[in-house]
Amino acid sequence: MAQMDSFLHPSSPHSGKVLAYKTGETLFKISAVEVDVTRTPESPPQEAQRGSTDSAPLTPACIAIDSQEQPSNLKKQYGFFDKANGELNDFQDAQVSIKDIGRIKGESVLDHSVAPPPRTDEQLAEDIVDVLERYRISARDKALQAFPGRSSFLAVVKERVESNKPVHMVLPAFPFKSPNKHSKVLGALPDKAEEVALTHLNGLGNAIENIYPGGAKITIVSDGLMYNDILGVSDKEVWEYSQAVRRIASEHQLTHICFSRVRDLINLDEAEGELTKEQWLSNVPLYRSKLYDEHISKSFDASKLVAKDPDAAMTYRGYIKFLEKDLEYTEAYERDVAASQIKRRNEGIAKQMMGRGKAFANAIAHAFPHSIRLSIHPSTETTKLSISITPQAGDGGSTPWHSSLVRALDGSVKMSHALHVPAKTHDLIYENGRPSYFREKSDLFTWPDMDVVFEYLYPIGVLIKPRNQYSGYSLQNVHMQKVRQLAEHCSPVILRGFMDTTDRRTFIAKAHDAGEVKQWNIFGVLAEVKDIGIVDKSANNVVSSEPLPMHFDGMFKFTIKTDDNGNEISVNTPPNFQYFTAVTTSPPGSGYTLFASSRLFWQNLPKSYTVKDLSKITWSCRNSGFWESFQEHQPLVVPHPTKGYPCLRWHEPWPQWKTKFAHCEVNIENGSQDIIPLVGSLLYDHRVCLYFTWQKGDILVNDNVSMLHTRTAFDGACDRELWRIHFD
């Protein structure tokens, strides 16, 4: 091994947590739970051996210390060994005491002020497939198993990345509402279930765009015409449903979603462009028959396909399951027929649907040969990716067109047949004059003397607005205790469309109504969060236009208290709540505030990790500059102070190359360092994190224990200004 220069980590002069050696452009970092260094060695051992992990040798950019090695080996390799063995070895005038040495990888980063090199096309493709894998129906239950279609999907993605084109996905879905309007769905038109599903799918596109500049597109091809005549649904109903789904995507600016119809999959002499409703309806029989004739063999046999194709068998069983309820309460349902006859009838319809579905699948493959094929059905995942299109806990679940959406008070979603939702515990919520979804009953939704609407945001949060925008409701009359309680269930809570929200006296007074207001030595009660134009490593990055790391407020707030022995101690005292108003906002597309939910973090945590396991983890954090401090033994998981549910406590590592201000280094003290990228990636996951856009006058209350937050960069020349108060 080449001779290496030795040095202490820059953040640890004379004593600290990390001993590091460098050679060329590589930094080798040896970490331990406790290291006290009084003098750095002149050089490391000539024969320093690269360690190994449990499964494979470490790369040349890594060194590991294995606590299971014999002390003599440690002494030979590094000049020191575990103090618990009763000896302390001097090596070239260095005195190093180490306790509880763990196996830790080194880092191939020389300078935290230098950004890592751009990701290669191969790495980007791998990253994108990682995102796709997270949305799999089976992602949690099969987290430790190989993804069957990974190599084939990777090839498709890599081709798009190399040509700098959007990653394209195609999904047959959103046909029409179930014919069973009595017990399954709330009507013939899309409702909150479709809105949430489309937003969830758009989040997949956002997630890819976050890591790949080429972005992503998801084409939804409605398969309604392939099945509606079999199930007794009119062509007119299919048209109106599909048009309404398109309006939802447009109104909510779901830019990663686009649509295609059956007519786009076949060879026609029609003029290009949008058809009128009348033109489309008159051509439906032609579309249906032509697609079937062009894309399926005359010798097709559904029974043989189901017998030999595992994917087809799963789809067939799914059809039969849905038909049992879909045809209830319809004209096709014969109430006096024996169950065995109904079973045979459903099997026959399912096989007819299999033929239509096979032709449709062939047409899609022909029309979109360079796309990732998505599916709402369970599959072997060798040729298509099975995804859940709603953000409910667990895997799979009913689709929006086969069920109704049910919201718990905390915002969590489940899909249920409408008739199964008890009126005693849930209210049916109407939107635009039509039933839309069910919401758990709570007094927190009753505001005396105010007619307001509550809108759950995706993936988390509640927006409260006057039903009449001209009502003139003032912040002075808002019941802040109800806002506070709602924030404990589903933060953040946003008040929009109320008056007096930027009146300083009113804003401060309502903070006192919400709880015990906390003071800071820096700014007192109210902080004006805006870019003050000072760029210096010793300045406060909060009052800049830079992006911030994901964190909780008050990590660096300490209070002197007296312990049980009468000694004064410094205690970390972060506030329980944040309270904001938007005085002015940044230009569209910048200055987002991001809120990551602990509940959704646990819901989407890979099965290879559990809350119980992560509750044992502690971490340390070293900050420079304005927030200079070193904190250790920080729990990764803490109980909520009033609700008791587990909450994530974290400060994102923030290397110097990301900021002109203070940087932050984070270390896992008693577990794998792989936890750091896991936490980082999941906190920004669009299934976990709300990307919130401010409007002038917005009031926002956020639970600072259950949520983590950050912001994106904005133009420092703009006048973006938020006021913030903390309270308990």
Side-chain angles (χ1 to χ4, degrees):
M1 184 173 183
Q3 181 76 17
M4 298 187 291
D5 298 322
S6 60
F7 66 103
L8 277 177
H9 195 280
S11 66
S12 309
H14 306 302
S15 71
K17 288 294 171 184
V18 178
L19 180 64
Y21 299 105
K22 69 174 180 178
T23 177
E25 295 301 305
T26 302
L27 170 69
F28 298 100
K29 187 168 72 174
I30 304 171
S31 299
V33 171
E34 185 170 325
V35 180
D36 294 315
V37 181
T38 58
R39 181 175 177 181
T40 58
E42 297 299 325
S43 63
Q46 293 281 349
E47 300 297 329
Q49 177 182 339
R50 306 208 193 284
S52 61
T53 62
D54 291 329
S55 56
L58 294 167
T59 66
C62 297
I63 287 181
I65 303 177
D66 191 337
S67 60
Q68 302 303 314
E69 291 190 66
Q70 295 300 315
S72 59
N73 291 336
L74 285 173
K75 179 177 179 180
K76 178 179 178 181
Q77 295 168 27
Y78 301 104
F80 50 77
F81 55 90
D82 198 335
K83 188 178 179 181
N85 288 307
E87 297 184 52
L88 179 62
N89 183 63
D90 291 345
F91 172 65
Q92 295 189 0
D93 297 325
Q95 291 185 333
V96 184
S97 62
I98 297 182
K99 293 190 297 186
D100 190 19
I101 302 172
R103 180 185 291 128
I104 299 180
K105 291 181 180 180
E107 295 182 359
S108 55
V109 178
L110 175 62
D111 188 345
H112 285 292
S113 65
V114 178
R119 304 287 282 173
T120 65
D121 289 347
E122 292 79 4
Q123 290 171 327
L124 277 174
E126 292 277 3
D127 294 343
I128 292 167
V129 175
D130 286 345
V131 171
L132 292 172
E133 192 166 356
R134 288 183 177 183
Y135 280 74
R136 293 168 60 206
I137 288 178
S138 58
R140 281 183 57 79
D141 282 345
K142 297 183 180 178
L144 302 180
Q145 300 179 19
F147 179 18
R150 186 177 181 94
S151 59
S152 59
F153 295 141
L154 187 60
V156 175
V157 171
K158 186 179 176 184
E159 179 185 347
R160 306 296 289 185
V161 171
E162 288 176 341
S163 57
N164 198 31
K165 294 179 180 178
V167 175
H168 188 256
M169 293 158 277
V170 59
L171 173 67
F174 297 91
F176 45 79
K177 283 289 194 182
S178 167
N180 184 350
K181 311 294 192 297
H182 176 80
S183 66
K184 289 186 71 173
V185 296
L186 298 174
L189 291 175
D191 49 38
K192 185 63 74 175
E194 277 82 2
E195 178 187 318
V196 169
L198 289 168
T199 307
H200 182 66
L201 284 172
N202 195 67
L204 170 57
N206 283 329
I208 293 174
E209 186 176 56
N210 284 355
I211 60 175
Y212 170 54
K217 287 289 183 183
I218 302 171
T219 297
I220 294 173
V221 188
S222 172
D223 50 356
L225 284 189
M226 303 310 299
Y227 309 116
N228 69 303
D229 59 323
I230 301 175
L231 301 177
V233 176
S234 70
D235 298 338
K236 176 174 175 287
E237 185 173 319
V238 173
W239 168 268
E240 291 174 347
Y241 177 88
S242 65
Q243 289 298 99
V245 167
R246 285 163 166 78
R247 283 195 297 273
I248 290 173
S250 175
E251 291 169 0
H252 291 268
Q253 299 180 344
L254 306 180
T255 56
H256 297 287
I257 304 289
C258 51
F259 296 91
S260 186
R261 299 185 189 274
V262 167
R263 70 181 285 256
D264 301 317
L265 306 180
I266 54 181
N267 296 314
L268 291 173
D269 294 329
E270 289 182 338
E272 294 185 2
E274 283 295 317
L275 296 179
T276 65
K277 176 181 177 180
E278 291 71 23
Q279 289 172 320
W280 185 84
L281 288 172
S282 66
N283 286 323
V284 162
L286 173 64
Y287 298 153
R288 191 181 287 127
S289 62
K290 195 168 179 60
L291 185 143
Y292 192 83
D293 293 341
E294 287 182 0
H295 293 285
I296 200 164
S297 168
K298 288 182 170 42
S299 62
F300 173 79
D301 187 319
S303 297
K304 290 182 180 179
L305 178 66
V306 170
K308 70 178 183 180
D309 186 334
D311 280 345
M314 282 188 271
T315 301
Y316 174 67
R317 289 193 293 269
Y319 284 160
I320 291 176
K321 176 184 176 182
F322 289 126
L323 287 170
E324 290 173 0
K325 289 294 182 181
D326 266 356
L327 299 183
E328 259 189 336
Y329 306 101
T330 65
E331 293 180 4
Y333 187 75
E334 301 173 38
R335 302 188 183 283
D336 297 328
V337 175
S340 59
Q341 290 179 282
I342 293 176
K343 181 176 181 293
R344 284 195 298 273
R345 180 205 63 184
N346 288 349
E347 288 172 349
I349 294 174
K351 288 177 181 177
Q352 191 178 358
M353 293 174 67
M354 289 297 298
R356 296 274 188 94
K358 181 64 174 176
F360 190 65
N362 290 342
I364 287 176
H366 183 265
F368 302 99
H370 304 292
S371 302
I372 298 290
R373 171 69 152 80
L374 305 178
S375 175
I376 62 168
H377 301 291
S379 71
T380 59
E381 296 190 299
T382 54
T383 60
K384 56 187 178 181
L385 183 74
S386 297
I387 64 169
S388 174
I389 63 171
T390 55
Q392 56 189 326
D395 296 328
S398 295
T399 60
W401 50 93
H402 279 296
S403 52
S404 303
L405 187 139
V406 183
R407 286 276 193 188
L409 179 59
D410 66 3
S412 56
V413 168
K414 74 172 183 177
M415 306 302 296
S416 171
H417 290 178
L419 202 61
H420 295 168
V421 182
K424 185 176 181 180
T425 57
H426 289 76
D427 291 318
L428 179 58
I429 304 301
Y430 282 71
E431 294 182 328
N432 301 316
R434 295 188 294 109
S436 185
Y437 70 102
F438 294 95
R439 186 183 69 199
E440 183 180 355
K441 289 178 181 287
S442 173
D443 291 340
L444 299 180
F445 297 121
T446 302
W447 287 27
D449 303 320
M450 285 190 180
D451 185 13
V452 295
V453 294
F454 299 83
E455 177 185 340
Y456 281 97
L457 304 178
Y458 177 85
I460 193 71
V462 182
L463 178 66
I464 305 173
K465 301 183 294 186
R467 192 178 302 276
N468 182 347
Q469 62 177 321
Y470 303 109
S471 62
Y473 295 151
S474 171
L475 176 62
Q476 297 179 23
N477 304 120
V478 170
H479 197 305
M480 292 302 291
Q481 283 297 313
K482 290 198 172 188
V483 174
R484 173 198 175 108
Q485 292 175 52
L486 190 55
E488 288 184 316
H489 290 281
C490 188
S491 275
V493 175
I494 300 100
L495 307 178
R496 179 170 291 170
F498 291 82
M499 298 180 64
D500 305 315
T501 58
T502 58
D503 177 80
R504 185 178 291 257
R505 179 175 295 180
T506 300
F507 179 67
I508 295 174
K510 298 307 288 185
H512 287 280
D513 285 352
E516 180 186 349
V517 172
K518 313 300 288 185
Q519 291 211 32
W520 285 70
N521 294 332
I522 307 169
F523 49 77
V525 168
L526 187 149
E528 297 178 352
V529 183
K530 59 184 178 181
D531 183 9
I532 61 175
I534 298 177
V535 180
D536 186 277
K537 287 187 178 181
S538 63
N540 185 353
N541 58 344
V542 174
V543 286
S544 75
S545 59
E546 276 197 355
L548 297 176
M550 190 71 77
H551 65 287
F552 60 93
D553 275 3
M555 179 170 179
F556 310 110
K557 182 177 176 62
F558 290 85
T559 301
I560 302 299
K561 294 187 176 182
T562 303
D563 64 15
D564 295 338
N565 298 319
N567 300 316
E568 288 190 346
I569 55 173
S570 182
V571 179
N572 186 215
T573 54
N576 289 338
F577 293 91
Q578 301 166 292
Y579 168 55
F580 290 94
T581 188
V583 180
T584 54
T585 61
S586 55
S590 67
Y592 296 104
T593 301
L594 279 55
F595 296 94
S597 160
S598 290
R599 176 179 63 79
L600 295 178
F601 183 94
W602 307 128
Q603 178 175 309
N604 293 287
L605 187 69
K607 198 172 182 181
S608 51
Y609 296 89
T610 66
V611 179
K612 182 178 179 181
D613 291 339
L614 293 184
S615 295
K616 303 171 185 176
I617 297 298
T618 61
W619 52 285
S620 64
C621 179
R622 185 179 297 279
N623 281 266
S624 66
F626 186 86
W627 303 108
E628 183 172 5
S629 66
F630 176 66
Q631 298 182 51
E632 56 186 344
H633 312 316
Q634 297 291 308
L636 184 62
V637 183
V638 298
H640 191 273
T642 60
K643 303 300 179 183
Y645 53 74
C647 299
L648 190 73
R649 276 303 210 208
W650 188 245
H651 189 293
E652 181 181 2
W654 208 242
Q656 192 63 69
W657 63 266
K658 283 189 175 184
T659 178
K660 298 173 184 175
F661 299 89
H663 69 280
C664 169
E665 296 173 4
V666 173
N667 181 61
I668 300 298
E669 295 175 325
N670 58 346
S672 170
Q673 301 304 309
D674 290 341
I675 291 173
I676 295 176
L678 168 77
V679 172
S681 62
L682 202 50
L683 284 175
Y684 286 91
D685 191 310
H686 285 259
R687 300 168 301 165
V688 173
C689 183
L690 170 68
Y691 288 64
F692 179 68
T693 301
W694 293 93
Q695 291 188 18
K696 184 176 180 179
D698 281 350
I699 291 288
L700 185 148
V701 175
N702 183 56
D703 188 316
N704 190 48
V705 183
S706 67
M707 308 290 290
L708 296 168
H709 68 282
T710 183
R711 72 147 184 256
T712 63
F714 60 93
D715 184 354
C718 76
D719 295 326
R720 180 186 192 269
E721 180 177 347
L722 307 179
W723 291 347
R724 185 195 67 204
I725 296 176
H726 290 131
F727 65 85
D728 283 344

